[in-house]
Amino acid sequence: MMTRFSVTYWVGANDEAEARQRALDIALEQTVEIPRDAVPAGYVEDEILGKLERLEPASDGRGGFFADISYSEDDVGGDFLQLLNIIFGNSSIKTNIRVEDITLSPGILSLCAGPRFGMPGLRELCGVDKGPLLMSAIKPVGLSSKELGKLAHDFALGGMDFVKDDHGLADQHTSPFAERLKACVDGVNEANAKTGGKATYVPNITAPAMKLFERAWMAKEQGAGGVMIAPALAGYDVIHSLAADPDFGLPIVSHPTFAGPNMITPTTGFSHRFYFGLLQRLMGVDAVVYPNFGGRFGFTLAECQSIVRGCQAEFGGYKPIVPAPGGGMSLARVPEMRDAYGDRVMYLIGGALIRERDNLADASRRLVDAVRAED
Amino acid sequence: MMTRFSVTYWVGANDEAEARQRALDIALEQTVEIPRDAVPAGYVEDEILGKLERLEPASDGRGGFFADISYSEDDVGGDFLQLLNIIFGNSSIKTNIRVEDITLSPGILSLCAGPRFGMPGLRELCGVDKGPLLMSAIKPVGLSSKELGKLAHDFALGGMDFVKDDHGLADQHTSPFAERLKACVDGVNEANAKTGGKATYVPNITAPAMKLFERAWMAKEQGAGGVMIAPALAGYDVIHSLAADPDFGLPIVSHPTFAGPNMITPTTGFSHRFYFGLLQRLMGVDAVVYPNFGGRFGFTLAECQSIVRGCQAEFGGYKPIVPAPGGGMSLARVPEMRDAYGDRVMYLIGGALIRERDNLADASRRLVDAVRAED
């Protein structure tokens, strides 16, 4: 039974000797964090200290090296945050190091139960067995719960599979959480009754630390079909804990707000594939929102396609999850997005439809038809 | 009564027209997140939409512009995570934007009670009314609770003011949290009884979401004198909630693990001063660990001095807090650090002393004396 897992880092360096030294520094920094000559012999040195398992020039033409470092499951101690701490704790503060990949071990697989629904579960939930899925967002902050509930109703009436809160909707006095939850669940149910559809409302439960779980359970009790959480704000164990709870059992959507610095430079943080793919599956996310190429954010087509691979390629036996590209999506971009993504994603469209709020159901229907007609 | 607060962003741009457009994009992105022409007239446009209040060429020679954007307290809705979401949510995913400063409003001051102890409170707690404070860290992971308790004892015996867990100490089988807590509280108390000193043990309570608060209260009940939390892992509201709870009332130490990408590039994320200073005070942190200049991390002396200013310059009437530079500190560096920081910081020394674990109390005493002798 393998009791070590390993992380692949990209390490910037002028030559192999420098890369080796930097990789050995990572192995030390991420585990014992004391000078090499002070590491106690025996268990600490043999088991806990990170081990450099492989060092090779980066094969993808960007220069630098790939270093595989293995770590002990004992160091994780059954704590998901400590797993992240080992993967990229203090070393996250260094430049010219980037987390690229992870190879799992039985203990990590047991700690991370993974997505409960993933792509197959979400398809079943909304009764769409092929073609892309569609999600829209109710907004802006400042509208009343009644107005937001009407938007949710109209999106559902127009054929959206999922209707989520904007990530800025919290508990503002214009639309307190409990009131909005009821208005939107009612709105979506009413639309479903008219269409015979299965649209799902997904409230944002990112909240103060002692209220988040309360809102998660309130969402479930009141009939929401999923919840959305921003892990970079709320912490990385919240989704992990909710996904692992069989009594909770709702799909979880992950939002990227506040997470930007983790992946936007090519030589620091995480690769797009790791952050929006592998990490989300380890957390137990079912669908992950990320900025689409060609929109307001700077992600390239290649980066976005790497995210899809991170979400769906074989990884520890976890279910494939649903990448949800958003940010500047419109009817006009449907052909381009179909070319890039095929049926593997959930189109997230918010702002462009809100512009047509007086005919929202019709505008939504046109978009849904355009997306599905390409099949 | 002012009901808007404002955030200063550095915006990279070739000319003022481009900077203005980018700033207006931030104002939209961070509030309504819909196209400008779709923003509902009235309350949403007048109150919720971010307003560009000032745009000027950056005065510090780096090029680009400073943009002040004001936001409504109504948008925050009494939620600290939503405050961070407004300050730098989706815009964190863009490059060439950086958060530099914040001007508070009464509602934000009321939401953020700030540090309970700060520098004056920590000085009182450890009975050191002038000169720098000192903190050490017990490590590495893999030692038993008995061994770690012995290290805590020896550090306290050697005159350290604070003895904290390494941030990698969680609940591993080699030293389960509750067992380590008892061993270290006992160790430090025993040393205090010998020296007549007031050393304080600070356990790491970064933990799974549903266990963190449990560990915080266990730490208090068992006699720990403070707690340490890594907000970039555990979420940014955890410290905010604990600091605001008058029944808890222990000092809080903030650790930078996993936070690196938020401040390590000059044109993305946050300025060092904002992230390690202002943000920590808004959260309610009493002492903040950050990587020292000239050590294993790449922070410059100027960046470190800006952190000290962010921790201690007037800001909303909040108490000054204690910057704790660590990472490569040693006896040899004491004069250089005294030159850089004077009495305004808490020296964090871990690894270099662990090397002398067989004579740890003596080695600690030499360091404490060297630091205090400079007065």
Side-chain angles (χ1 to χ4, degrees), chain A residues 98-123:
Chain A
R98 201 174 194 225
V99 176
E100 297 283 337
D101 209 346
I102 184 168
T103 304
L104 304 174
S105 65
I108 304 303
L109 287 165
S110 151
L111 171 63
C112 301
R116 187 172 293 276
F117 293 84
M119 178 62 102
L122 294 194
R123 283 199 180 281

Side-chain angles (χ1 to χ4, degrees), chain B residues 25-39:
Chain B
D25 287 347
I26 297 171
L28 211 61
E29 185 76 50
Q30 293 306 105
T31 54
V32 294
E33 211 202 333
I34 51 179
R36 182 64 185 85
D37 60 17
V39 177

